[in-house]
């Protein structure tokens, strides 16, 4: 008869331990860990991005007194990379005071954002694209949305009481703005937005009639009385002319230009071999351009972004329309797989197909910026996007081509042109139906020689000056129409 061997306590514990490890080990192995954390503070909104090799699930809620945003992420264990988030919060962040990170319970990490003011958060995930893996994004918007005009008023760049400014002393060599002194005609409006029409003609300025027209005198048999009346009438008209010149209502309206530095934030754009990034180069050029334009009387500038943060393409167009921009100029730096590719280009919108295969490829690449930068698809206004496309008019495109030609010619004076004519394609950022819009590819950042130019202060200044010359020449021949004051 065979006897079973007794089971010792040590054997039981060993087996039990192995069983316990077999349960715990997979859980520990499956627990996800953050690969990278990034913070993009800006006046528009602050974005916090957590990058991971798998999709993260998160819940969030707001707490008052004091204002806090609490985020709980499932399937996550605290690691050194996630702890770096604490140090990444800058003291000048408009919305976040500080963040606390902790392991709330097994496989659940809690983030607590102490806020400087009330926010309207958007929390969403992004699928892998480009060089990025899965991303969990927190966008912290102000509870009260910032109006672009209000922002310009606060910066002293917009007269809140009027959309015009006093006429300067004429100086034809410094600005074409004098060409707009005749702009007294009401512009047709659609949805309370001015629509520029190439066929519209400018009304004559009655003030110029008073100043320039010779006085017509009634015939008087008394020569002395006639001469006296002549002198009195001339004096009166001269006095009226001076009064009109000095009166506040002798105004010409401000020209508003929207400058759009491409990419930003999560979307670096193209990169050069020397390590330069498109988003940095074009922002630097845009800031130089802004300063030069604002040195011209009667011109002001709205930047779609003034720092390193991401702005969706649709939002860029909406910002320009909200300030009733007269021109929209998007600034980029091209790239290609072959480093020999070089030269500057100017593009406008196409109602039909692209003017070349290269233009079509480039438009698709630029339109993919929303995928790279990370758009919350739940908040995108698909109806507005289709309206912008449908309302894009032949007149707008024709005006854009006029602008594009003069700007391209001026840029050609300081850099080789990739193509000697303005090209067309379906760029999403050029679809404002009522604003002449161009996209400038300043140079190929993928070309080492042109990359060196793009990062050179002197060349950036030359480039900005060339664009300004093109804008001035455009307005000299195409003065902007008058429009109603913005309430």
């Amino acid at each position: 008869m065979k006897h079973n061997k007794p089971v010792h306590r040590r054997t039981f514990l060993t087996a039990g331990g192995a069983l316990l490890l077999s349960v715990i080990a997979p859980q520990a192995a499956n627990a996800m860990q953050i690969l990278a954390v990034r913070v993009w503070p800006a006046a528009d909104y602050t974005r916090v991005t957590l990058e991971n090799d798998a999709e993260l699930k998160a819940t969030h809620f707001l707490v008052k007194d004091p204002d806090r945003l609490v985020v709980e992420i499932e399937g996550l264990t605290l690691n050194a990379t996630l702890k770096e988030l604490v140090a990444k919060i800058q003291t000048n962040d408009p919305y976040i005071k500080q963040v606390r990170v902790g392991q709330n319970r097994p496989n659940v990490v809690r983030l607590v954002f102490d806020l400087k003011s009330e926010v309207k958060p958007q929390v969403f995930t992004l699928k892998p694209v480009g060089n990025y893996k899965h991303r969990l994004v927190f966008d912290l918007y102000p509870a009260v949305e910032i109006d672009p005009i209000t922002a310009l008023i606060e910066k002293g760049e917009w007269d809140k009481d009027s959309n015009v400014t006093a006429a300067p002393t004429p100086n034809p060599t410094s600005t074409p703005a004098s060409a707009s002194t005749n702009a007294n005609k009401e512009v047709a409006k659609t949805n309370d937005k001015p629509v520029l029409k190439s066929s519209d003609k400018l009304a004559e300025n009655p003030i110029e009639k008073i100043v320039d027209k010779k006085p017509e005198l009634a015939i008087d048999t008394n020569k002395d009385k006639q001469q006296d009346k002549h002198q009195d009438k001339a004096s009166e008209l001269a006095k009226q002319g001076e009064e009109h010149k000095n009166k506040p209502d002798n105004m010409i309206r401000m020209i508003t230009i929207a400058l759009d530095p491409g990419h930003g934030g999560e979307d670096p754009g193209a990169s050069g071999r020397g390590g330069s990034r498109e988003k940095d180069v074009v922002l630097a050029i845009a800031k130089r351009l802004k300063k030069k334009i604002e040195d011209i009387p009667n011109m002001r500038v709205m930047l779609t972004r003034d720092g390193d943060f991401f702005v969706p393409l649709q939002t860029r167009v909406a910002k320009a329309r909200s300030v009733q921009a007269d021109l929209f100029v998007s600034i980029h730096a091209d790239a290609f797989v072959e480093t020999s590719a070089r030269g500057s280009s100017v593009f406008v919108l196409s109602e039909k197909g692209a003017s070349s295969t290269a233009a079509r490829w480039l438009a698709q690449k630029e339109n993919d910026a929303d995928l790279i930068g990370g758009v919350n698809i739940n908040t995108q206004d698909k109806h507005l996007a289709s309206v912008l496309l449908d309302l894009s008019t032949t007149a707008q495109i024709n005006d854009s081509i006029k602008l594009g030609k003069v700007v391209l010619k001026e840029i050609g004076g300081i850099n080789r042109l990739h193509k000697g004519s303005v090209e067309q394609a379906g760029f999403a950022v050029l679809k404002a139906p009522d604003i002449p819009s161009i996209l400038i590819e300043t140079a190929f950042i993928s070309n080492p020689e042109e990359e060196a130019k793009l990062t050179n202060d002197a060349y950036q200044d030359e480039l900005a000056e060339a664009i300004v010359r093109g804008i001035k020449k455009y307005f000299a021949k195409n003065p902007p129409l008058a429009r109603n004051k913005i309430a």
Side-chain angles (χ1 to χ4, degrees), residues 256-274:
T256 304
I257 299 174
L259 296 182
D260 174 51
H263 310 279
E266 290 285 287
D267 175 22
S271 298
R273 287 195 169 186

Side-chain angles (χ1 to χ4, degrees), residues 258-323:
L259 296 182
D260 174 51
H263 310 279
E266 290 285 287
D267 175 22
S271 298
R273 287 195 169 186
S276 57
R277 300 178 299 184
E278 180 180 5
K279 67 174 182 177
D280 301 324
V281 167
V282 298
L283 180 59
I285 293 170
K287 286 182 175 180
R288 288 179 186 275
L289 184 54
K290 178 179 187 290
K291 186 177 184 307
K292 289 181 181 294
I293 291 174
E294 289 177 337
D295 284 341
I296 302 171
N298 313 309
M299 285 196 185
R300 63 188 165 207
V301 171
M302 186 275 295
L303 287 172
T304 59
R305 71 176 180 94
D306 57 5
D308 188 10
F309 61 96
F310 171 70
V311 183
L313 299 175
Q314 192 181 113
T315 303
R316 295 170 189 261
V317 177
K319 279 188 170 188
R321 299 190 78 220
S322 69
V323 298

Side-chain angles (χ1 to χ4, degrees), residues 314-365:
Q314 192 181 113
T315 303
R316 295 170 189 261
V317 177
K319 279 188 170 188
R321 299 190 78 220
S322 69
V323 298
Q324 295 186 330
D326 296 290
L327 295 182
F328 181 92
V329 180
S330 193
I331 304 169
H332 292 257
D334 210 348
F336 194 63
V337 289
E338 295 178 6
T339 59
S340 58
R342 59 178 297 167
S344 305
S345 306
V346 174
F347 296 84
V348 302
L349 185 65
S350 170
E351 280 187 301
K352 301 174 184 177
S355 57
S356 68
T357 302
R360 184 185 302 110
W361 174 83
L362 181 63
Q364 183 59 55
K365 183 172 74 74

Side-chain angles (χ1 to χ4, degrees), residues 169-417:
T169 304
N171 183 356
T173 61
S174 66
T175 173
S178 58
S180 61
T181 55
N182 295 332
N184 291 320
K185 185 175 180 181
E186 178 77 17
V187 67
K189 298 179 85 177
T190 302
N191 296 329
D192 295 326
K193 296 289 182 185
V195 179
L196 297 176
K197 292 184 177 180
S198 297
S199 58
D200 284 344
K201 298 197 175 176
L202 303 176
E204 290 183 321
N205 192 330
I207 294 169
E208 290 182 351
K209 283 187 176 182
I210 292 172
V211 176
D212 299 332
K213 190 176 178 181
K214 292 181 180 179
E216 296 177 1
L217 301 174
I219 297 174
D220 196 320
T221 54
N222 189 322
K223 223 174 187 183
D224 292 336
K225 283 184 180 178
Q226 182 176 338
Q227 189 173 2
D228 290 342
K229 280 188 177 183
H230 187 130
Q231 290 173 349
D232 291 344
K233 186 68 174 176
S235 297
E236 184 184 345
L237 287 171
K239 184 180 177 182
Q240 287 179 3
E242 286 301 316
E243 286 176 353
H244 276 291
K245 283 181 182 179
N246 297 324
K247 263 187 177 182
D249 60 354
N250 181 24
M251 300 283 191
I252 60 174
R253 82 167 174 82
M254 291 289 288
I255 295 173
T256 304
I257 299 174
L259 296 182
D260 174 51
H263 310 279
E266 290 285 287
D267 175 22
S271 298
R273 287 195 169 186
S276 57
R277 300 178 299 184
E278 180 180 5
K279 67 174 182 177
D280 301 324
V281 167
V282 298
L283 180 59
I285 293 170
K287 286 182 175 180
R288 288 179 186 275
L289 184 54
K290 178 179 187 290
K291 186 177 184 307
K292 289 181 181 294
I293 291 174
E294 289 177 337
D295 284 341
I296 302 171
N298 313 309
M299 285 196 185
R300 63 188 165 207
V301 171
M302 186 275 295
L303 287 172
T304 59
R305 71 176 180 94
D306 57 5
D308 188 10
F309 61 96
F310 171 70
V311 183
L313 299 175
Q314 192 181 113
T315 303
R316 295 170 189 261
V317 177
K319 279 188 170 188
R321 299 190 78 220
S322 69
V323 298
Q324 295 186 330
D326 296 290
L327 295 182
F328 181 92
V329 180
S330 193
I331 304 169
H332 292 257
D334 210 348
F336 194 63
V337 289
E338 295 178 6
T339 59
S340 58
R342 59 178 297 167
S344 305
S345 306
V346 174
F347 296 84
V348 302
L349 185 65
S350 170
E351 280 187 301
K352 301 174 184 177
S355 57
S356 68
T357 302
R360 184 185 302 110
W361 174 83
L362 181 63
Q364 183 59 55
K365 183 172 74 74
E366 298 296 359
N367 292 346
D368 284 345
D370 276 356
L371 297 176
I372 305 293
V375 171
N376 184 0
I377 58 173
N378 296 322
T379 63
Q380 283 291 284
D381 191 336
K382 294 179 182 177
H383 173 68
L384 174 61
S386 78
V387 166
L388 290 177
L389 174 62
D390 294 340
L391 289 180
S392 295
T393 64
T394 301
Q396 184 260 18
I397 292 174
N398 288 341
D399 286 339
S400 300
I401 292 173
K402 291 176 187 175
L403 172 63
K405 283 181 177 179
V406 291
V407 170
L408 185 68
K409 184 176 180 180
E410 292 300 325
I411 293 176
I414 65 162
N415 192 39
R416 174 179 172 178
L417 297 180

Side-chain angles (χ1 to χ4, degrees), residues 32-39 48-51 73 76-90 98-104 109-113 138:
M32 296 178 285
Q33 292 188 337
I34 299 297
L35 302 176
V37 294
R38 295 179 291 274
V39 181
V48 178
T49 304
L50 308 183
E51 189 175 357
I73 308 171
L76 199 63
T77 55
L78 194 60
N79 69 346
T81 303
L82 188 52
K83 289 178 182 178
E84 290 175 5
L85 182 60
V86 175
K88 287 183 179 286
I89 304 300
Q90 301 175 22
Q98 65 177 5
V99 63
R100 289 169 282 149
V101 182
Q103 191 77 48
N104 182 252
V109 165
R110 171 176 284 191
L111 311 179
V112 180
F113 294 92
F138 318 123

